[in-house]
């Protein structure tokens, strides 16, 4: 590749090769985007975490290139949003062509007044590199490169036998290195080792779903051009008849071209530069100047594991669920998995929430995965119709879309990733007061301009722990202090009003926070550590807030863990 | 006398499309054509207005093949 050289991270000999078996709180398998996000989140909370990866570099090839606003917001909380946003290419407009005519156009440009754009495109290697840099800066995170997990078992710590009796269970690992194998044990194992997930196979667990009988060629090309920074998708273009093509810009003047090839294509043949070049020449013109950076032929599946939690083993990202690339729902949903998981694991490890809180990771993220799989499957059915009648309807939609607006809504080249709204979660406290707008219990909190001690945006003042976002100064100082001193602390973030004790005060100069949260003086929102709303009220009541925090942490009143 | 509405009017376009394709799952091409014909007749009866139906037929015929 011309524009990027993969870093080589140093292998280090494991001290365990020379001594005793180490017992860890958390081990993460896989230092991809998802494993790294989990490691950073845990380490930021002061939980020592060991990451094992079988390679010694970041992604080879660009792979996942579209990162959604929600991912950037999560990375901001993890201290590495800025480099991704700065290096990434932001875009809002998508165009869909049928033949050589524009069939449909969408604009993801959100309302103004958000810190992060709808999407940035960035090669996965940069994304991973920035996360590795962040993890390396955290004392509690240790990444071991070229350490491959070769065996995993759940053991009973009381008698040392295999079995998954929950209370005394631990996970034992065998790790292979160039200097030999060593053993480790841990309380919790987070599995982020990708679509093929060797660890999932070692544990004999399945991931079930649908294989799509189609093949696609990805070619990353380096070229300087005046093409606009937009997502262009063609059905049946003149330069690649009867198939689809996607063109998308990445950083460093690298462009992703994705050619649908059909199921019968020979991957080895199609991957050769001499066979890729004519396709690119037909598309870009005989005189276009470009270099091929990287190429790959892929096929895809939409599937998930039945459960993402198996006792002390937690699956996240592609290891747990897999979607087609149309819609950018792979890496983006994997990062949301860790955002959902880590605060819960933190509370459980510190004895502040019952083990059952981790079951809600499974419930909430399985629901999100199903939503992603549904959208991804529908897009794939539109791009790769599975029957003659399906193809006829698809072509009819595209033909009608040229003239008739209704049909444009049916054109589906991928419905782009949006964050999960956890409306059905048992961690939410149902509304008892009337509210309008989108900030329902379960929704990720909307950003808005704010002036405060942590920056110019609302989201910079929320997250990590529980926050009570209150409008006006209706929370007395002693109540704010008491909430901040609880076993599961809750920080008061006050919008406007008179400054008081034990709180962060921010100003809503543009009035957008109040507008987006349908706020009146006294309105309170309880925000989870992963920046999702879990309760809201029109007036502050400290007992009610505590009840909602108890519910959101799996602790009900009367529960022994809550009786501190 | 109504006019044909070609502005977005479906409550949930992706859900509708999914059900429409699902309706044909497992059918032969001939069976699918029959299901489609019945569907058009049912919807035509529901619409009723001959001007709307004529406009829809013209829009559907457009660009398909020159009149013979």
């Amino acid at each position: 590749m011309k524009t990027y050289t993969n870093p080589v991270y140093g292998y280090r000999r494991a001290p365990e090769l020379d001594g005793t078996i180490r017992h860890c709180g958390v081990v993460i398998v896989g230092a991809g985007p998802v494993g790294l996000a989990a490691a950073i989140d845990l380490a930021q909370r002061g939980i020592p975490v060991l990451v094992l990866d079988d390679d010694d570099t970041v992604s080879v090839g660009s792979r996942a290139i579209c990162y959604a606003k929600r991912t950037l917001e999560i990375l901001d909380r993890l201290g590495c949003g800025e480099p991704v946003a700065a290096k990434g290419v932001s875009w809002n407009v998508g165009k869909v062509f049928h033949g050589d005519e524009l069939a449909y156009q969408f604009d993801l440009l959100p309302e103004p007044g958000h810190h992060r754009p709808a999407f940035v495109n960035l090669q996965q290697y940069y994304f991973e590199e920035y996360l590795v840099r962040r993890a390396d800066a955290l004392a509690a995170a240790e990444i071991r490169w070229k350490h491959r997990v070769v065996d995993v078992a759940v053991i009973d710590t009381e008698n040392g036998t295999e079995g998954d009796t929950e209370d005394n269970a631990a996970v034992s690992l065998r790790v292979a290195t160039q200097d030999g194998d060593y053993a480790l044990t841990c309380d919790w194992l987070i599995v982020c080792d990708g679509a093929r997930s060797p660890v999932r196979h070692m544990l004999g667990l399945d991931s079930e779903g649908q294989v799509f009988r189609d093949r696609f060629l990805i070619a990353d090309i380096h070229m300087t051009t005046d093409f606009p920074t937009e997502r262009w998708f063609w059905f049946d273009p003149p330069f690649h008849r009867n198939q689809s093509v996607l063109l998308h810009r990445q950083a460093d003047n690298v462009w992703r071209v994705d050619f649908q090839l059909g199921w019968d294509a020979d991957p080895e043949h199609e991957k050769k530069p001499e066979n890729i070049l004519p396709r690119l020449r037909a598309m870009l013109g005989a005189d276009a100047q470009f270099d091929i950076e990287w190429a790959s032929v892929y096929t895809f599946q939409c599937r998930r594991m039945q459960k993402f939690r198996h006792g002390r083993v937690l699956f996240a990202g592609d290891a747990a669920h897999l979607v087609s690339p149309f819609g950018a729902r792979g890496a983006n949903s994997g990062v949301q998995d860790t955002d959902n998981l880590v605060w819960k694991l933190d509370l459980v490890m510190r004895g502040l929430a019952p083990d059952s809180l981790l079951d809600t990771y499974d419930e909430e993220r399985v629901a999100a995965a199903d939503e992603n799989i549904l959208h991804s499957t529908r897009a794939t059915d539109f791009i790769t119709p599975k029957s003659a009648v399906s193809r006829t309807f698809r072509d009819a939609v595209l033909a009608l879309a040229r003239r008739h607006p209704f049909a444009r809504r049916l054109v589906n080249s991928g419905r782009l990733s949006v964050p999960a709204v956890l409306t059905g979660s048992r961690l939410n406290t149902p509304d008892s007061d009337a509210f309008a707008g989108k900030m329902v219990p379960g929704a990720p909190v909307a950003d808005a301009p704010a002036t405060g001690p942590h920056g110019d945006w609302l989201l910079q003042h929320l997250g990590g722990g529980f926050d009570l976002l209150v409008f006006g100064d209706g929370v007395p100082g002693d109540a704010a202090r008491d909430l901040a001193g609880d076993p599961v602390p809750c920080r008061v973030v006050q919008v406007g009003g008179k400054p008081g004790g034990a709180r962060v005060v921010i100003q809503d100069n543009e009035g957008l926070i109040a507008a987006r949260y349908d706020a009146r003086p006294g309105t309170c929102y309880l925000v989870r550590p992963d920046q999702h709303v879990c309760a809201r009220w029109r007036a502050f009541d400290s007992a009610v807030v505590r009840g909602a925090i108890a519910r959101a942490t799996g602790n009900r009143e009367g529960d022994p863990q809550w009786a501190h | 006398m109504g006019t044909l509405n070609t502005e977005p009017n479906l409550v949930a376009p992706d859900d509708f499309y999914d059900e429409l394709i699902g309706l044909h799952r497992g059918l032969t091409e001939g069976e699918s054509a029959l299901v489609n014909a019945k569907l058009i007749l049912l919807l035509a009866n529901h619409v009723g207005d001959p001007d709307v139906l004529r406009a829809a037929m013209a829009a559907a015929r457009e660009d398909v093949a020159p009149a013979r």
Side-chain angles (χ1 to χ4, degrees):
Chain A
M1 290 200 301
K2 232 182 183 177
T3 62
Y4 188 78
T5 307
N6 274 68
V8 178
Y9 298 118
Y11 160 82
R12 277 195 298 268
R13 184 185 163 89
E16 291 78 7
L17 282 162
D18 308 310
T20 52
I21 296 178
R22 175 165 157 198
H23 182 76
C24 307
V26 189
V27 170
I28 295 173
V29 187
V34 180
L36 289 167
I40 294 165
D41 207 347
L42 283 159
Q44 278 195 166
R45 292 166 189 279
I47 296 181
V49 55
L50 183 63
V51 184
L52 303 172
D53 194 274
D54 62 358
D55 204 355
D56 61 359
T57 187
V58 293
S59 162
V60 174
S62 61
R63 296 171 69 188
I65 60 161
C66 296
Y67 297 98
K69 178 171 181 286
R70 181 67 200 140
T71 298
L72 296 174
E73 292 168 351
I74 293 168
L75 293 190
D76 280 334
R77 189 174 63 70
L78 299 182
C80 44
E82 199 50 45
V84 173
K87 181 75 182 174
V89 176
S90 82
W91 63 277
N92 296 299
V93 172
K95 287 181 179 156
V96 179
F97 301 89
H98 183 212
D100 46 17
E101 277 190 60
L102 182 67
Y104 168 66
Q105 178 169 342
F106 58 81
D107 190 344
L108 298 169
L109 185 71
E111 54 197 5
H114 292 259
H115 186 194
R116 296 306 184 189
F119 269 93
V120 298
N121 284 4
L122 184 67
Q123 296 89 317
Q124 185 173 328
Y125 38 78
Y126 281 118
F127 187 96
E128 290 182 15
E129 192 185 317
Y130 301 149
L131 267 64
V132 170
R133 199 181 295 164
R134 173 66 181 146
D136 281 347
L138 295 166
E142 178 187 355
I143 308 176
R144 291 186 178 179
W145 304 100
K146 289 274 182 196
H147 286 237
R148 185 163 54 93
V149 174
V150 290
D151 196 19
V152 56
V154 179
I155 53 168
D156 187 319
T157 50
E158 293 271 284
N159 54 27
T161 55
E162 284 200 22
D164 51 5
T165 44
E166 299 260 318
D167 286 351
N168 304 312
V171 183
S172 80
L173 299 170
R174 179 138 213 96
V175 184
T177 71
Q178 63 195 54
D179 293 317
D181 291 8
Y182 66 94
L184 280 177
T185 60
C186 59
D187 288 332
W188 302 98
L189 183 70
I190 306 180
V191 183
C192 313
D193 57 352
R196 291 183 186 88
S197 187
V199 171
R200 191 181 67 225
H201 289 290
M202 288 171 209
L203 289 167
L205 298 168
D206 287 335
S207 175
E208 288 171 8
Q210 206 177 353
V211 180
F212 290 88
R213 292 167 61 85
D214 205 342
R215 294 186 203 279
F216 291 79
L217 165 69
I218 284 182
D220 272 355
I221 56 173
H222 180 235
M223 83 179 158
T224 309
T225 162
D226 52 6
F227 286 161
T229 305
E230 297 174 349
R231 178 186 193 262
W232 285 15
F233 193 100
W234 288 264
F235 289 100
D236 191 21
F239 53 84
H240 192 56
R241 276 293 171 207
N242 296 315
Q243 306 281 18
S244 66
V245 176
L246 175 71
L247 177 69
H248 221 174
R249 184 182 205 154
Q250 307 171 49
D252 299 337
N253 289 317
V254 172
W255 296 73
R256 159 74 57 86
V257 192
D258 199 325
F259 293 97
Q260 186 182 28
L261 298 175
W263 183 241
D264 297 331
D266 172 5
E268 291 312 311
H269 174 83
E270 296 292 347
K271 244 186 277 191
K272 292 183 181 144
E274 65 264 34
N275 298 319
I276 299 173
L277 276 170
R279 297 196 185 284
L280 290 166
R281 291 252 169 259
M283 177 179 181
L284 302 166
D287 303 328
Q289 296 288 313
F290 58 84
D291 299 296
I292 298 175
E293 287 265 295
W294 174 71
S296 172
V297 173
Y298 67 94
T299 183
F300 53 77
Q301 307 175 11
C302 288
R303 59 181 160 91
R304 71 163 169 88
M305 299 177 72
Q306 205 179 1
K307 283 180 161 296
F308 298 170
R309 180 187 183 194
H310 289 264
R312 289 175 172 270
V313 184
L314 301 145
F315 290 84
D318 282 0
H321 46 77
L322 211 50
V323 291
S324 80
F326 303 103
R329 289 167 181 270
N332 287 306
S333 68
V335 172
Q336 287 178 58
D337 286 346
T338 70
D339 191 40
N340 188 296
L341 171 63
V342 169
W343 68 270
K344 295 174 181 174
L345 185 58
D346 180 29
L347 289 176
V348 171
M349 289 179 77
R350 290 195 285 126
L352 295 171
D355 177 273
S356 61
L357 180 61
L358 290 170
D359 294 337
T360 68
Y361 163 68
D362 178 80
E363 293 160 12
E364 292 181 344
R365 293 311 298 168
V366 161
D370 283 345
E371 187 180 316
N372 287 321
I373 288 170
L374 178 72
H375 284 292
S376 167
T377 302
R378 286 175 175 180
T380 308
D381 284 343
F382 198 86
I383 294 162
T384 306
K386 286 199 286 291
S387 65
V389 66
S390 180
R391 171 140 199 143
T392 303
F393 273 119
R394 199 279 299 276
D395 292 344
V397 165
L398 290 170
L400 286 167
R402 295 179 187 190
R403 287 188 183 77
H404 304 296
F406 88 96
R408 288 168 203 157
R409 298 274 175 93
L410 294 168
V411 174
N412 192 344
S413 70
R415 300 278 182 248
L416 287 147
S417 174
V418 287
V421 178
L422 312 167
T423 32
S425 173
R426 62 173 147 131
L427 303 183
N428 296 337
T429 297
D431 280 340
S432 48
D433 300 327
F435 279 91
K438 291 181 183 165
M439 290 298 102
V440 298
V445 288
D447 202 5
T451 43
H454 304 304
D456 297 330
W457 300 96
L458 175 60
L459 288 194
Q460 292 170 327
H461 297 88
L462 297 174
F466 280 90
D467 291 312
L468 188 71
L469 180 69
V470 298
F471 292 82
D473 45 26
V475 180
D478 53 347
R481 251 183 310 274
D482 287 352
L483 285 173
D486 275 345
V488 178
C490 177
R491 174 179 59 170
V492 170
V493 178
Q494 176 180 310
V495 183
K498 290 195 290 292
R503 70 197 63 201
V504 173
V505 180
I506 59 176
Q507 302 302 329
D508 183 18
N509 294 330
E510 297 180 33
L512 284 172
I513 308 177
R516 286 176 188 165
Y517 288 77
D518 182 31
R520 303 176 205 146
T523 295
C524 302
Y525 278 81
L526 182 62
V527 181
R528 301 185 352 174
D530 57 8
Q531 297 177 328
H532 281 257
V533 174
C534 60
R536 55 184 178 172
W537 307 274
R538 286 299 181 190
F540 173 73
D541 178 326
S542 130
V544 171
V545 170
R546 284 209 172 89
I549 293 170
R551 186 192 279 260
T553 52
N555 291 301
R556 303 299 176 115
E557 272 106 332
D559 193 286
Q561 272 120 339
W562 190 243
H564 288 280
Chain B
M1 294 295 112
T3 51
L4 180 68
N5 179 11
T6 65
E7 292 302 315
N9 190 40
L10 292 161
V11 174
D14 285 352
D15 291 349
F16 159 73
Y17 194 80
D18 200 26
E19 283 185 47
L20 178 65
I21 301 303
L23 177 67
H24 291 270
R25 201 157 290 139
L27 301 186
T28 64
E29 286 187 40
E31 288 164 346
S32 276
L34 180 63
V35 167
N36 278 337
K38 286 162 74 179
L39 186 61
I40 291 163
L41 294 170
L42 286 161
L43 294 174
N45 177 63
H46 183 86
V47 171
D49 186 327
D51 288 342
V52 174
L53 292 170
R54 227 167 268 131
M57 286 192 273
R61 184 69 168 76
E62 206 170 358
D63 300 335
V64 171
R68 281 183 282 264

